[in-house]
Amino acid sequence: MPIDIFPWSYETVETILRRRGHLPVATGDVGDLLFPEERLGDLPKEALTVSPGIRERYHELFGRASFRKVARQLIIRRGSPCSLDDLCRIAGAETDRYVAFLEELQVVEQGLDGLRLTRDVDNIGPSLEHYVAQLCSWADLRGHAEWGVKLAGLPRAGGDYDVLAWLAPTLLYVECKAKHQEQVAEEELRQFLQRHVELAPDLSVLLVDTDDDLAFLHDRFNSILRPILQAQLQPDILVVGAHPASDLLVPQRNYLGVSFSASVRVYVT
């Protein structure tokens, strides 16, 4: 019988949080997802007929920016029809494939006036969080992750964490923004930093779902971080060995679209 030399690989996010003195009280509701997870369980086969590997296919497609844009367009219509021409302008030649898959999931229906979402989902945010959690767990990084995590007793920024992942021996916090960088309010950036401080994970990532250059967000983030660092509010242990130029958020050489602040151990990408 093979011996597992990494027994911690089976530890869960909840186990790690409790060891660190945090109390998880809730995780994400699958009813908020584009993917009908709650309907794939104990229903009779005739209630939802899907092909094998449906979760894997959904994960592969959701990883495509054009698919997410199609999904976002359908969601923001809130049940109103969206013409196939509009979707083609977003997804091009992939439109038919995306529509066929969404029909197989039974989350859309086609009419004479276009395609409409039949699922009661009001924003794509939870689906993005769910996708990132899957990346951290079975799909790519083989760790354990939860999304939509609520922790009790955190006093200032609240205990809402989009994604928490245990990638032994690292506790990772990912904040997901499914909107343009100009729409991310300064208060949201401050709350992200505050949640990072209160949880004290090994690393935190602010993930913005865009292909745009993040220079605008980068500058706003540093405008918040600069007075904090100048006031020396961070414990010295956080900056030992850090070059002064890396205290603020700086782009990482050879990693396109990735910035890092060594002083607070935060990535923005």
Side-chain angles (χ1 to χ4, degrees):
M1 181 176 183
I3 298 175
D4 188 348
I5 61 173
F6 300 114
W8 56 73
S9 62
Y10 298 107
E11 294 176 322
T12 66
V13 167
E14 180 177 356
T15 299
I16 302 305
L17 290 173
R18 288 181 178 273
R19 279 189 200 153
R20 295 185 178 208
H22 298 291
L23 178 62
V25 293
T27 55
D29 182 356
V30 294
D32 295 331
L33 301 178
L34 175 66
F35 185 63
E37 184 78 48
E38 80 282 13
R39 291 163 51 193
L40 298 181
D42 299 327
L43 293 177
K45 289 184 178 180
E46 61 270 16
L48 183 63
T49 302
V50 296
S51 60
I54 195 75
R55 288 179 174 84
E56 290 78 6
R57 289 171 57 211
Y58 171 80
H59 182 84
E60 186 269 327
L61 288 180
F62 199 90
R64 299 179 173 215
S66 58
F67 182 84
R68 295 195 302 277
K69 289 176 182 178
V70 165
R72 184 181 289 111
Q73 187 64 225
L74 290 169
I75 289 171
I76 64 177
R77 295 296 180 101
R78 296 183 179 274
S80 298
C82 183
S83 73
L84 290 178
D85 287 342
D86 286 343
L87 297 182
C88 281
R89 280 189 282 272
I90 296 172
E94 292 288 348
T95 304
D96 288 345
R97 180 187 178 197
Y98 294 167
V99 170
F101 182 74
L102 291 171
E103 286 183 319
E104 182 180 354
L105 286 180
Q106 298 180 22
V107 299
V108 298
E109 61 181 12
Q110 284 202 61
L112 296 177
D113 50 358
L115 196 72
R116 74 178 74 237
L117 192 72
T118 59
R119 192 156 173 78
D120 186 18
V121 178
D122 62 6
N123 73 90
I124 200 171
S127 297
L128 179 61
E129 296 168 20
H130 173 261
Y131 171 75
V132 173
Q134 295 300 304
L135 281 177
C136 293
S137 53
W138 62 265
D140 285 74
L141 301 181
R142 296 297 192 266
H144 183 268
E146 297 285 0
W147 60 279
V149 180
K150 297 185 185 300
L151 303 180
L154 296 187
R156 301 187 64 181
D160 296 332
Y161 290 84
D162 288 352
V163 179
L164 292 177
W166 175 239
L167 309 175
T170 299
L171 179 63
L172 173 68
Y173 160 43
V174 184
E175 178 75 13
C176 302
K177 297 298 181 187
K179 53 187 172 184
H180 296 297
Q181 58 178 317
E182 294 83 1
Q183 297 174 317
V184 180
E186 180 177 315
E187 182 63 22
E188 293 179 88
L189 298 178
R190 292 184 178 276
Q191 289 176 345
F192 164 67
L193 281 170
Q194 186 62 42
R195 282 191 287 266
H196 168 75
V197 169
E198 292 186 6
L199 178 63
D202 300 292
L203 286 175
S204 292
V205 177
L206 177 63
L207 176 65
V208 185
D209 187 16
T210 181
D211 292 327
D212 295 340
D213 182 273
L214 290 180
F216 178 75
L217 184 66
H218 183 281
D219 291 343
R220 292 170 61 214
F221 196 95
N222 274 341
S223 71
I224 296 171
L225 200 56
R226 188 174 289 107
I228 296 174
L229 295 173
Q230 289 174 345
Q232 296 182 340
L233 298 179
Q234 295 293 326
D236 289 341
I237 192 172
L238 294 185
V239 296
V240 169
H243 189 279
S246 66
D247 288 349
L248 292 173
L249 194 69
V250 294
Q252 297 301 289
R253 186 179 303 172
N254 299 326
Y255 291 90
L256 183 64
V258 178
S259 296
F260 180 65
S261 168
S263 57
V264 290
R265 304 190 310 281
V266 165
Y267 283 93
V268 174
T269 188

